[in-house]
Amino acid sequence: MNANKNTHASHGGPIDVAAIRQAAKKLDDGAIPSGYKGNREEIVEMLNAALATELVCVLRYKRHYYTASGMTNQSIKAEFLEHAQQEEEHADRIAERIVQLDGEPDLNPSTLAQRSHAEYDDSGDIRSMIIANLIAERVAIESYRQMIERIGDSDPTTRNMLVEIMAVEEEHADDMKDLLD
């Protein structure tokens, strides 16, 4: 067996270990190898829209957490805070991925709302807050579904991250729906 070839590959012939090792020495490429198939600019643009969406969701959930009042709403407030924290974790993951793709996370507050797929909400009553959050979660789910579809197999790392985030957004939507019932 040739020391530079792995003959156990199932598609398209053996793995070219020598080429892999050579490509790995291109340090300017950072985390992304030369075989990367995604359109970096398009994916970074999509991720920046997702970043804006997550940040607006953090702000909306925080607003609702701080302004929801009444003894009977304490568990709902706790849900809003938990969701805000999870949305912030999503934003962090997305920003990190943008940097890995050699992009720049757009955290500009003056354009955040325009770039977000979801809307900010400053409702004053609990039911309206829950409805606004449910709508925003459904917007996020559909946004992620479209991004995942567009990325396809060209960037499995980004795709997998978005699938994981979308699953949490689906849980959030389910939580909001349960609160409405």
Side-chain angles (χ1 to χ4, degrees), residues 109-121:
S110 68
T111 60
L112 202 58
Q114 294 91 342
R115 292 180 288 112
S116 171
H117 296 166
E119 295 178 298
Y120 181 76
D121 177 77

Side-chain angles (χ1 to χ4, degrees), residues 74-106:
Q74 293 307 307
S75 63
I76 295 172
K77 283 181 64 137
E79 194 78 27
F80 290 164
L81 181 59
E82 179 184 338
H83 288 201
Q85 292 164 340
Q86 290 171 335
E87 304 293 2
E88 188 170 4
E89 290 169 11
H90 297 166
D92 290 343
R93 288 182 70 189
I94 291 166
E96 288 171 4
R97 185 62 184 159
I98 290 168
V99 171
Q100 287 175 348
L101 292 171
D102 202 27
E104 301 229 351
D106 188 347

Side-chain angles (χ1 to χ4, degrees), residues 1 10 13 23 30 52 55 60 78 83 105 108 134 141-142 150 163 165:
M1 178 181 211
S10 60
L55 292 171
R60 186 187 60 258
H83 288 201
N108 185 339
L134 177 56
I141 292 163
E142 180 58 19
R150 179 173 278 162
V163 167
I165 291 172

Side-chain angles (χ1 to χ4, degrees), residues 12-177:
I15 303 264
D16 187 346
V17 175
I20 291 170
R21 289 179 180 163
Q22 189 59 38
K25 292 178 182 174
K26 295 179 182 172
L27 302 181
D28 289 341
D29 289 344
I32 306 302
S34 61
Y36 178 79
K37 303 254 187 289
N39 178 333
R40 281 192 207 198
E41 293 78 20
E42 180 184 16
I43 292 173
V44 166
E45 185 178 324
M46 283 190 289
L47 290 177
N48 265 316
L51 178 59
T53 301
E54 292 292 346
L55 292 171
V56 166
C57 288
V58 169
L59 296 172
R60 186 187 60 258
Y61 273 121
K62 286 274 191 154
R63 166 85 167 57
H64 292 168
Y65 167 73
Y66 287 117
T67 60
S69 60
M71 292 298 292
T72 59
N73 294 324
Q74 293 307 307
S75 63
I76 295 172
K77 283 181 64 137
E79 194 78 27
F80 290 164
L81 181 59
E82 179 184 338
H83 288 201
Q85 292 164 340
Q86 290 171 335
E87 304 293 2
E88 188 170 4
E89 290 169 11
H90 297 166
D92 290 343
R93 288 182 70 189
I94 291 166
E96 288 171 4
R97 185 62 184 159
I98 290 168
V99 171
Q100 287 175 348
L101 292 171
D102 202 27
E104 301 229 351
D106 188 347
L107 300 166
N108 185 339
S110 68
T111 60
L112 202 58
Q114 294 91 342
R115 292 180 288 112
S116 171
H117 296 166
E119 295 178 298
Y120 181 76
D121 177 77
D122 58 5
S123 296
D125 68 278
I126 290 291
R127 182 168 175 76
S128 296
M129 291 176 187
I130 295 168
I131 290 169
N133 288 322
L134 177 56
I135 290 169
E137 294 296 354
R138 292 174 51 86
V139 166
I141 292 163
E142 180 58 19
S143 295
Y144 286 125
R145 189 196 64 73
Q146 288 185 24
M147 288 179 210
I148 290 163
E149 188 175 276
R150 179 173 278 162
I151 290 169
D153 293 331
S154 71
D155 181 341
T157 302
T158 300
R159 183 182 193 283
N160 290 340
M161 177 191 71
L162 295 177
V163 167
E164 291 169 6
I165 291 172
M166 186 174 78
V168 176
E169 303 296 3
E170 289 172 348
E171 290 174 21
H172 289 177
D174 196 43
D175 292 343
M176 291 300 109
K177 178 72 174 99

